[in-house]
Amino acid sequence: MSALLSEDVLSHIGKQSEPRREIVTRRDIRKYAIATDNRQAKYLDGDVAPPLFHLHLFWDVVPLSELSPDGVSIDSLLPKFPLEKAMAGGLDITYHKPIKPGDWLTATRTLTNIYEKAGRSGPLIFYEVLMEVRGDDDELVVTEKTTRILR
Amino acid sequence: MSPAPTVGMAIPERQHYCDEVQQMLYNASLWNGHRIHFDMPYATEVEGYPGLVVAGPLMGDWLHQVVDEWLGDAGMITGIEYSNRIAAYVGETVTAGGTVTAYDEATGEVALEVFVKNERDEVLTPGVITATLTSAS
């Protein structure tokens, strides 16, 4: 029995985002490589995307009016949690195939779990989001599990 | 990649200076408008940080890069698990590095424990990276 998490909050487990389809361009790869201090020619020239480039490709592009006052976009996949201060989160990523300019990729995000634990200074809420990135051939390109902690 | 991996071997480290312009370009490239990365009065007075916060995933990228540079064309990163434990701030120099923890010569699979640490030797971003060596040499 959850002390903090209502049935309504927990009912969001399994919720899935609308799939998002984006094209990979050489220019985007180059910008990402430069901004991350990369120094390998294949990435700086945009021939292939460095690992983690899918973050850039699928970060939510929202209108300014939809950002909260601190400049953050509100994740529509998430319910309103009874705790709101975000703590360190973790990522678990599997790279199945390289990403190249011209690739069309589709990302689907699923809220896979919400649970609470007792922390040293009070209760903590954990939630997990699974993002699957696939090519137009439906083959997996990247799988990413994000775990976030709220206190 | 020069020498064949052996368990316990440290890979070459790399330093990154956390500069304002780079933070701006990185967050803009993601479409990340979070004020803690560029709005000094907001970061310090409202959120109580000692300075502008370096974007967490950028340090995740540096974990990848230190291994990817070591691999060169001899292999490919197949996975990572990492977490952002402690923040870094603009103006700091951080160091990325790692140690080989497992290597299977038959399959070419290699695992490394990786880190980004600050000048006080605190590990900010610990992680584990797996890679496959592809070139038979």
Side-chain angles (χ1 to χ4, degrees), chain A residues 2 35 48 60 75 90 96 101 111 113 120 125 134 138 145:
Chain A
S2 263
V48 62
D60 239 355
D75 189 343
H96 306 276
L111 180 59
N113 207 357
R120 253 171 298 173
I125 294 175
R134 291 175 187 271
D138 211 33
K145 190 179 94 175

Side-chain angles (χ1 to χ4, degrees), chain B residues 25-79:
Chain B
L25 289 175
Y26 176 74
N27 288 301
S29 100
L30 297 182
W31 201 251
N32 180 6
H34 200 176
R35 286 180 184 274
I36 60 170
H37 303 306
F38 61 87
D39 182 338
M40 185 66 113
Y42 178 84
T44 54
E45 289 158 29
V46 180
E47 295 262 356
Y49 289 110
L52 294 173
V53 180
V54 174
L58 181 55
M59 294 203 281
D61 193 277
W62 292 340
L63 292 176
H64 287 81
Q65 277 192 57
V66 76
V67 173
D68 207 36
E69 285 193 357
W70 172 69
L71 289 168
D73 291 326
M76 184 181 148
I77 292 175
T78 53

Side-chain angles (χ1 to χ4, degrees), chain A residues 31-40 42-43 50-53 55-56 59-64 67-73 85 87-98, chain B residues 13-17 22-23 25-27 29-36 42 47 49 57-58 60-62 64-65 68-69 72-73 75-86:
Chain A
K31 284 163 73 173
Y32 180 83
I34 291 166
T36 49
D37 225 358
N38 206 300
R39 53 186 186 188
Q40 293 193 73
K42 60 187 174 186
Y43 304 130
L52 220 54
F53 175 78
L55 278 190
H56 161 104
W59 202 281
D60 239 355
V61 176
V62 299
L64 294 177
L67 297 175
S68 58
D70 60 352
V72 175
S73 60
K85 179 88 183 149
M87 290 172 63
L91 280 175
D92 184 350
I93 306 172
T94 305
Y95 298 101
H96 306 276
K97 282 169 80 165
Chain B
E13 295 186 346
R14 180 164 174 207
Q15 291 192 331
H16 295 270
Y17 174 69
Q22 187 199 20
Q23 292 303 310
L25 289 175
Y26 176 74
N27 288 301
S29 100
L30 297 182
W31 201 251
N32 180 6
H34 200 176
R35 286 180 184 274
I36 60 170
Y42 178 84
E47 295 262 356
Y49 289 110
L58 181 55
D61 193 277
W62 292 340
H64 287 81
Q65 277 192 57
D68 207 36
E69 285 193 357
D73 291 326
M76 184 181 148
I77 292 175
T78 53
I80 185 168
E81 249 189 275
Y82 79 88
S83 57
N84 291 110
R85 298 269 170 85
I86 301 174

Side-chain angles (χ1 to χ4, degrees), chain A residues 2 9-10 13 19-20 22 25 28 33 39 41 43 50 62 77 85 95-97 99 108 114 122 140 143 150:
Chain A
S2 263
V9 167
L10 292 170
I13 296 173
R20 288 242 323 275
E22 301 281 359
T25 67
D28 276 349
R39 53 186 186 188
Y43 304 130
V62 299
L77 201 55
K85 179 88 183 149
Y95 298 101
H96 306 276
K97 282 169 80 165
I99 296 175
T108 311
I114 303 172
L140 272 175
T143 318
L150 305 171

Side-chain angles (χ1 to χ4, degrees), chain A residues 78-141:
Chain A
L78 303 178
K80 174 139 176 64
F81 287 112
L83 303 175
E84 288 187 327
K85 179 88 183 149
M87 290 172 63
L91 280 175
D92 184 350
I93 306 172
T94 305
Y95 298 101
H96 306 276
K97 282 169 80 165
I99 296 175
K100 297 200 165 146
D103 288 352
W104 279 100
L105 300 176
T106 301
T108 311
R109 298 170 67 240
T110 310
L111 180 59
T112 48
N113 207 357
I114 303 172
Y115 54 96
E116 63 178 277
K117 279 186 189 176
R120 253 171 298 173
S121 54
L124 303 169
I125 294 175
F126 291 70
Y127 66 87
E128 296 171 1
V129 174
L130 178 71
M131 179 161 83
E132 285 188 341
V133 179
R134 291 175 187 271
D136 274 356
D137 56 7
D138 211 33
E139 298 230 357
L140 272 175
V141 176

